[in-house]
mmCIF file of all heavy atoms in Angstrom:
data_model
loop_
_atom_site.group_PDB
_atom_site.id
_atom_site.type_symbol
_atom_site.label_atom_id
_atom_site.label_comp_id
_atom_site.label_asym_id
_atom_site.label_seq_id
_atom_site.Cartn_x
_atom_site.Cartn_y
_atom_site.Cartn_z
ATOM 1 N N PRO A 29 66.776 35.447 -67.572
ATOM 2 C CA PRO A 29 67.784 34.448 -67.938
ATOM 3 C C PRO A 29 67.500 33.771 -69.264
ATOM 4 O O PRO A 29 68.426 33.502 -70.043
ATOM 5 C CB PRO A 29 67.742 33.439 -66.785
ATOM 6 C CG PRO A 29 67.163 34.181 -65.652
ATOM 7 C CD PRO A 29 66.217 35.161 -66.226
ATOM 8 N N LEU A 34 68.954 34.006 -76.815
ATOM 9 C CA LEU A 34 69.015 34.820 -78.016
ATOM 10 C C LEU A 34 70.170 35.807 -77.997
ATOM 11 O O LEU A 34 70.826 36.020 -79.016
ATOM 12 C CB LEU A 34 67.695 35.601 -78.192
ATOM 13 C CG LEU A 34 66.405 34.747 -78.251
ATOM 14 C CD1 LEU A 34 65.190 35.666 -78.207
ATOM 15 C CD2 LEU A 34 66.380 33.882 -79.478
ATOM 16 N N ASN A 36 72.967 35.861 -75.789
ATOM 17 C CA ASN A 36 74.294 35.333 -75.481
ATOM 18 C C ASN A 36 74.274 33.824 -75.492
ATOM 19 O O ASN A 36 74.509 33.162 -74.474
ATOM 20 C CB ASN A 36 74.741 35.846 -74.112
ATOM 21 C CG ASN A 36 76.238 35.664 -73.875
ATOM 22 O OD1 ASN A 36 76.911 34.945 -74.636
ATOM 23 N ND2 ASN A 36 76.760 36.308 -72.826
ATOM 24 N N ASP A 129 60.588 19.297 -80.842
ATOM 25 C CA ASP A 129 61.319 18.689 -81.957
ATOM 26 C C ASP A 129 62.812 18.602 -81.714
ATOM 27 O O ASP A 129 63.536 17.941 -82.475
ATOM 28 C CB ASP A 129 61.065 19.497 -83.248
ATOM 29 C CG ASP A 129 59.641 19.375 -83.714
ATOM 30 O OD1 ASP A 129 58.944 18.421 -83.348
ATOM 31 O OD2 ASP A 129 59.165 20.273 -84.457
ATOM 32 N N SER A 177 50.409 16.966 -50.502
ATOM 33 C CA SER A 177 51.207 15.978 -49.784
ATOM 34 C C SER A 177 51.957 15.085 -50.751
ATOM 35 O O SER A 177 51.620 15.011 -51.948
ATOM 36 C CB SER A 177 50.305 15.125 -48.884
ATOM 37 O OG SER A 177 49.446 14.313 -49.678
ATOM 38 N N GLU A 209 62.440 8.978 -49.158
ATOM 39 C CA GLU A 209 62.192 7.622 -48.688
ATOM 40 C C GLU A 209 60.687 7.300 -48.804
ATOM 41 O O GLU A 209 60.310 6.206 -49.198
ATOM 42 C CB GLU A 209 62.644 7.477 -47.246
ATOM 43 C CG GLU A 209 62.502 6.066 -46.694
ATOM 44 C CD GLU A 209 63.061 5.938 -45.274
ATOM 45 O OE1 GLU A 209 63.144 6.960 -44.564
ATOM 46 O OE2 GLU A 209 63.390 4.826 -44.863
ATOM 47 N N PRO A 223 68.091 17.885 -55.564
ATOM 48 C CA PRO A 223 68.112 18.800 -54.400
ATOM 49 C C PRO A 223 68.865 20.073 -54.722
ATOM 50 O O PRO A 223 69.677 20.160 -55.638
ATOM 51 C CB PRO A 223 68.874 17.998 -53.341
ATOM 52 C CG PRO A 223 69.085 16.623 -53.910
ATOM 53 C CD PRO A 223 69.036 16.764 -55.397
ATOM 54 N N ASP A 344 31.887 18.005 -42.184
ATOM 55 C CA ASP A 344 31.789 18.136 -40.726
ATOM 56 C C ASP A 344 31.290 16.862 -40.079
ATOM 57 O O ASP A 344 31.596 16.584 -38.915
ATOM 58 C CB ASP A 344 30.852 19.282 -40.359
ATOM 59 C CG ASP A 344 31.459 20.661 -40.640
ATOM 60 O OD1 ASP A 344 32.691 20.714 -40.863
ATOM 61 O OD2 ASP A 344 30.708 21.642 -40.655
ATOM 62 N N ASN A 360 22.952 21.798 -68.667
ATOM 63 C CA ASN A 360 24.163 21.390 -69.363
ATOM 64 C C ASN A 360 25.050 20.670 -68.355
ATOM 65 O O ASN A 360 25.854 21.289 -67.646
ATOM 66 C CB ASN A 360 24.888 22.614 -69.946
ATOM 67 C CG ASN A 360 26.108 22.254 -70.762
ATOM 68 O OD1 ASN A 360 26.715 21.202 -70.580
ATOM 69 N ND2 ASN A 360 26.493 23.121 -71.698
ATOM 70 N N SER A 385 26.179 9.407 -65.560
ATOM 71 C CA SER A 385 26.006 8.392 -66.598
ATOM 72 C C SER A 385 26.384 8.945 -67.961
ATOM 73 O O SER A 385 26.293 8.230 -68.965
ATOM 74 C CB SER A 385 24.536 7.934 -66.609
ATOM 75 O OG SER A 385 23.679 9.043 -66.858
ATOM 76 N N GLU A 391 34.334 12.955 -68.387
ATOM 77 C CA GLU A 391 35.645 13.399 -68.866
ATOM 78 C C GLU A 391 35.887 14.875 -68.567
ATOM 79 O O GLU A 391 36.993 15.256 -68.183
ATOM 80 C CB GLU A 391 35.801 13.135 -70.370
ATOM 81 C CG GLU A 391 37.143 13.667 -70.897
ATOM 82 C CD GLU A 391 37.678 12.918 -72.099
ATOM 83 O OE1 GLU A 391 36.886 12.288 -72.789
ATOM 84 O OE2 GLU A 391 38.893 12.940 -72.303
ATOM 85 N N ALA A 392 34.874 15.718 -68.760
ATOM 86 C CA ALA A 392 35.026 17.147 -68.500
ATOM 87 C C ALA A 392 35.436 17.395 -67.054
ATOM 88 O O ALA A 392 36.294 18.217 -66.758
ATOM 89 C CB ALA A 392 33.736 17.873 -68.802
ATOM 90 N N GLU A 563 35.149 9.260 -27.246
ATOM 91 C CA GLU A 563 34.999 10.715 -27.484
ATOM 92 C C GLU A 563 33.616 11.006 -28.091
ATOM 93 O O GLU A 563 32.933 11.974 -27.691
ATOM 94 C CB GLU A 563 36.104 11.197 -28.408
ATOM 95 C CG GLU A 563 36.058 12.694 -28.700
ATOM 96 C CD GLU A 563 37.142 13.131 -29.657
ATOM 97 O OE1 GLU A 563 38.126 12.356 -29.857
ATOM 98 O OE2 GLU A 563 37.019 14.233 -30.213
ATOM 99 N N PHE A 694 46.091 40.821 -45.680
ATOM 100 C CA PHE A 694 46.293 42.119 -45.064
ATOM 101 C C PHE A 694 45.018 42.947 -45.084
ATOM 102 O O PHE A 694 44.636 43.600 -44.101
ATOM 103 C CB PHE A 694 47.387 42.895 -45.785
ATOM 104 C CG PHE A 694 48.795 42.492 -45.393
ATOM 105 C CD1 PHE A 694 49.036 41.345 -44.667
ATOM 106 C CD2 PHE A 694 49.893 43.246 -45.818
ATOM 107 C CE1 PHE A 694 50.345 40.962 -44.327
ATOM 108 C CE2 PHE A 694 51.187 42.875 -45.495
ATOM 109 C CZ PHE A 694 51.412 41.735 -44.749
ATOM 110 N N GLN A 719 54.013 59.499 -52.338
ATOM 111 C CA GLN A 719 52.643 59.938 -52.571
ATOM 112 C C GLN A 719 51.704 59.492 -51.434
ATOM 113 O O GLN A 719 50.788 60.223 -51.076
ATOM 114 C CB GLN A 719 52.145 59.360 -53.898
ATOM 115 C CG GLN A 719 52.852 59.910 -55.129
ATOM 116 C CD GLN A 719 52.591 61.391 -55.355
ATOM 117 O OE1 GLN A 719 51.522 61.891 -55.042
ATOM 118 N NE2 GLN A 719 53.575 62.070 -55.932
ATOM 119 N N LYS A 744 67.425 51.906 -52.287
ATOM 120 C CA LYS A 744 66.853 53.179 -52.781
ATOM 121 C C LYS A 744 65.759 53.681 -51.867
ATOM 122 O O LYS A 744 65.614 54.875 -51.631
ATOM 123 C CB LYS A 744 66.352 53.002 -54.203
ATOM 124 C CG LYS A 744 67.468 52.836 -55.213
ATOM 125 C CD LYS A 744 66.970 52.865 -56.654
ATOM 126 C CE LYS A 744 68.127 52.801 -57.630
ATOM 127 N NZ LYS A 744 67.701 52.879 -59.044
ATOM 128 N N ASN A 793 51.466 53.017 -31.403
ATOM 129 C CA ASN A 793 50.412 53.558 -30.534
ATOM 130 C C ASN A 793 50.817 53.547 -29.051
ATOM 131 O O ASN A 793 50.066 54.026 -28.203
ATOM 132 C CB ASN A 793 49.125 52.760 -30.724
ATOM 133 C CG ASN A 793 48.582 52.885 -32.130
ATOM 134 O OD1 ASN A 793 48.701 53.905 -32.766
ATOM 135 N ND2 ASN A 793 47.975 51.776 -32.618
#
Side-chain angles (χ1 to χ4, degrees):
L34 303 172
N36 196 347
D129 292 338
S177 67
E209 184 176 23
D344 287 346
N360 184 335
S385 59
E391 176 152 25
E563 181 182 344
F694 280 12
Q719 294 293 329
K744 289 189 176 182
N793 297 326

